[in-house]
Each structure stands twice: as structure tokens, then as C-alpha cells.
């Protein structure tokens, strides 16, 4: 099998389409925190907490001014790639935790303006009216993927995704109360072409609110950029939760925050 470490326009269109679809499916499967709260069947009971309004939650999201890597915002309601079929292996367990929607849930997506639409970034802010429910949502995410250490799946069109998965709870920003992180790196192959591929995903809780940041790209090394995005995302959420305007902090392509 030939290995393309730098995808070009010579790559078959169907391969580019499948790669985009698999990347989109991977991020979609991880973006479940808004739909995994307690459904009234015995979850943790916490103190009542103040919800963000939808406007506040939207303000907390990462913006075009923050995002680097040549990515632009995907218009709300943009048509999704309908080729995103097939299993994502042990990550499919996340589907089982979708029980009750959070009262407030907003998201925003970004992607590069190239044939693969990669790198791609997704960010979500979720607000619950019960602090215990918020902690339950993060616990449910952890428990669903705690035994997920690798993916080796082939979709109906023959595109194969092989990824090794690492999980940890390291805090990126001390303003967060807790955090769960997933890194999945390896390859995607189709039609005799193989690309390096990576998914980086972080979920951070600030009081009764959750912010998620996910990145996908045709590389196995994304440097410090996820940490930079999470740092800014947590700062923005904490500021909005305190009734303040978030700072206009941006992430540079080097992974530094300015």
C-alpha cells in the first residue's frame, strides 16, 4: 500500500470524500455531552445551579477570531456529509449514554478550506440546572470509553480506520473543576492510499457547565494546539459564567495563546 503523508489533489475524489466523512463521524460520536444527563432514573442529586442562557452559551463558544490553522466557521445548518456510515468500534458505546437533553446546548464547527476540510474543530457548551447532573454527564462519558484502547474498523466502502487510543483526566486549565481527554492516532486508508490521522478531544467542567473541544487532522501529532484551544475555551466559559465578557484571546498556529 502506498503511503501519502501529504495529501494532494491527485488523491482520488472518493478517498477525499470518505476521509472527510470519517473525520466528521468521529467528532460527531464524541460530541454527546448535551444528551447524556440524568433522565430521572437515579442519577446524582446536586445543588440547584444557575443555567446559562442560550445567548451566554453561544458567547462562550470559540469564535473565528480565536481559531487558527486556516480554519473557517462552518455555517449553521450546513448539509452534513451523508457518507459518514459504518462503525467507530468501541467509540460507538457513546451512543448508549444519550438519555436526556441538557436544557442549554450550543455548538460551532470550523474546518480548513481544502479538499479534505481538515483540520477540523468542533466546540460545544452545555449548561445544566443541577451540578450533580453535570458531573454525571462527564462520568457517563468517561465510563462509556474507559475500556476503549483501539479502533480497527472498515466502512461499507472499504475505507479503514486504525487508531490507538489514550485517555487521561489531566487538567489543561485550572479554572476547570475536572476534565476528560481522549487522543486517538493512527491511519485512514482507502483505494490503496494511506494517511496519518488523529483525533484530539477534551471535555472540561466549570461548575454546572461543560465545554468540549475536538480536533481532527491528517497527522498523528497536533502539538500543543489542543491544549491552547481548551485553555481559551475554559477561560471563555468561566468568564461568561461569572457574568463577564470573554477576553479576545486567540490561538496561534504554533499552539501558543495570544
Amino acid at each position: 500500500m502506498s503511503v501519502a503523508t501529504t495529501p494532494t489533489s491527485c488523491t482520488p475524489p472518493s478517498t477525499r470524500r470518505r476521509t472527510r466523512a470519517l473525520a466528521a463521524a468521529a467528532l460527531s460520536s464524541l460530541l454527546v455531552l448535551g444528551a447524556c444527563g440524568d433522565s430521572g432514573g437515579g442519577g446524582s442529586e446536586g445543588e440547584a445551579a444557575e443555567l446559562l442562557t442560550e445567548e451566554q452559551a453561544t458567547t462562550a463558544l470559540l469564535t473565528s477570531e480565536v481559531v487558527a490553522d486556516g480554519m473557517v466557521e462552518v455555517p449553521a445548518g450546513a448539509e452534513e456529509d451523508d457518507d459518514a456510515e459504518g462503525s467507530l468500534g468501541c467509540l460507538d458505546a457513546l451512543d448508549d449514554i444519550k438519555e436526556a437533553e441538557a436544557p442549554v446546548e450550543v455548538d460551532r464547527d470550523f474546518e480548513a478550506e481544502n479538499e479534505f476540510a481538515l483540520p477540523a474543530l468542533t466546540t460545544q457548551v452545555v449548561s445544566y440546572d443541577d451540578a450533580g447532573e453535570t458531573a454525571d454527564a462527564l462520568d457517563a462519558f468517561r465510563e462509556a470509553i474507559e475500556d476503549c484502547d483501539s479502533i480497527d474498523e472498515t466502512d461499507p466502502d472499504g475505507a479503514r480506520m486504525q487508531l490507538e487510543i489514550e485517555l487521561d483526566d489531566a487538567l489543561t486549565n485550572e479554572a476547570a473543576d475536572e476534565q476528560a481527554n481522549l487522543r486517538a492516532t493512527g491511519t485512514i486508508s482507502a483505494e490503496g492510499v494511506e494517511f496519518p490521522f488523529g483525533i484530539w478531544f477534551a471535555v472540561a467542567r466549570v461548575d454546572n457547565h461543560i465545554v468540549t473541544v475536538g480536533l481532527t487532522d491528517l497527522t498523528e501529532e497536533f502539538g500543543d494546539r489542543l491544549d491552547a484551544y481548551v485553555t481559551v475555551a475554559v477561560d471563555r466559559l468561566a468568564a461568561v459564567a461569572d457574568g463577564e465578557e470573554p477576553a479576545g484571546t486567540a490561538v496561534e498556529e504554533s499552539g501558543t495563546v495570544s
Side-chain angles (χ1 to χ4, degrees):
M1 174 178 290
S2 62
V3 177
T5 55
T6 305
T8 70
S9 58
C10 296
T11 307
S14 57
T15 299
R16 298 196 294 270
R17 186 178 66 252
R18 290 304 307 149
T19 303
R20 289 196 303 269
L22 287 170
L27 283 182
S28 294
S29 72
L30 290 166
L31 204 61
V32 300
L33 272 294
C36 61
D38 174 46
S39 58
S44 301
E45 291 186 6
E47 296 181 0
E50 185 173 347
L51 275 173
L52 296 179
T53 65
E54 185 169 325
E55 181 179 0
Q56 287 175 312
T58 301
T59 299
L61 289 170
L62 297 177
T63 67
S64 297
E65 290 73 27
V66 166
V67 173
D69 301 301
M71 290 183 284
V72 297
E73 184 174 347
V74 178
E79 184 176 346
E80 296 184 2
D81 195 322
D82 59 7
D83 287 334
E85 299 178 359
S87 171
L88 287 170
C90 49
L91 290 181
D92 287 344
L94 290 166
D95 291 336
D96 297 334
I97 66 175
K98 296 183 179 181
E99 297 179 356
E101 292 186 1
V104 177
E105 173 190 355
V106 296
D107 57 73
R108 182 176 288 149
D109 297 325
F110 302 86
E111 63 186 24
E113 293 183 294
N114 58 41
E115 293 169 300
F116 288 86
L118 294 172
L121 178 148
T122 188
T123 179
Q124 181 188 64
V125 170
V126 175
S127 185
Y128 294 91
D129 53 11
D130 182 284
E133 219 173 46
T134 313
D136 284 348
L138 195 50
D139 286 344
F141 178 84
R142 288 194 186 98
E143 290 169 6
I145 60 174
E146 62 183 352
D147 296 323
C148 191
D149 55 16
S150 64
I151 297 172
D152 187 348
E153 296 291 333
T154 302
D155 75 7
D157 290 332
R160 186 179 185 185
M161 177 185 286
Q162 296 174 282
L163 304 175
E164 295 297 319
I165 296 175
E166 298 177 38
L167 307 170
D168 67 61
D169 291 332
L171 277 181
T172 302
N173 186 330
E174 294 297 328
D177 296 297
E178 56 179 326
Q179 184 172 324
N181 308 298
L182 178 148
R183 292 175 299 281
T185 55
T187 60
I188 289 180
S189 56
E191 299 180 319
V193 182
E194 182 177 278
F195 302 127
F197 185 70
I199 304 167
W200 296 264
F201 199 79
V203 183
R205 180 176 68 84
V206 178
D207 297 327
N208 56 304
H209 321 295
I210 289 176
V211 61
T212 62
V213 179
L215 286 159
T216 56
D217 200 5
L218 294 172
T219 178
E220 293 186 63
E221 178 55 56
F222 213 72
D224 297 325
R225 283 175 286 179
L226 178 64
D227 285 351
Y229 283 122
V230 174
T231 295
V232 174
V234 169
D235 281 343
R236 291 180 67 86
L237 177 57
V240 170
D242 287 340
E244 303 171 359
E245 283 292 318
T249 309
V251 174
E252 304 294 339
E253 290 191 20
S254 62
T256 58
V257 177
S258 62

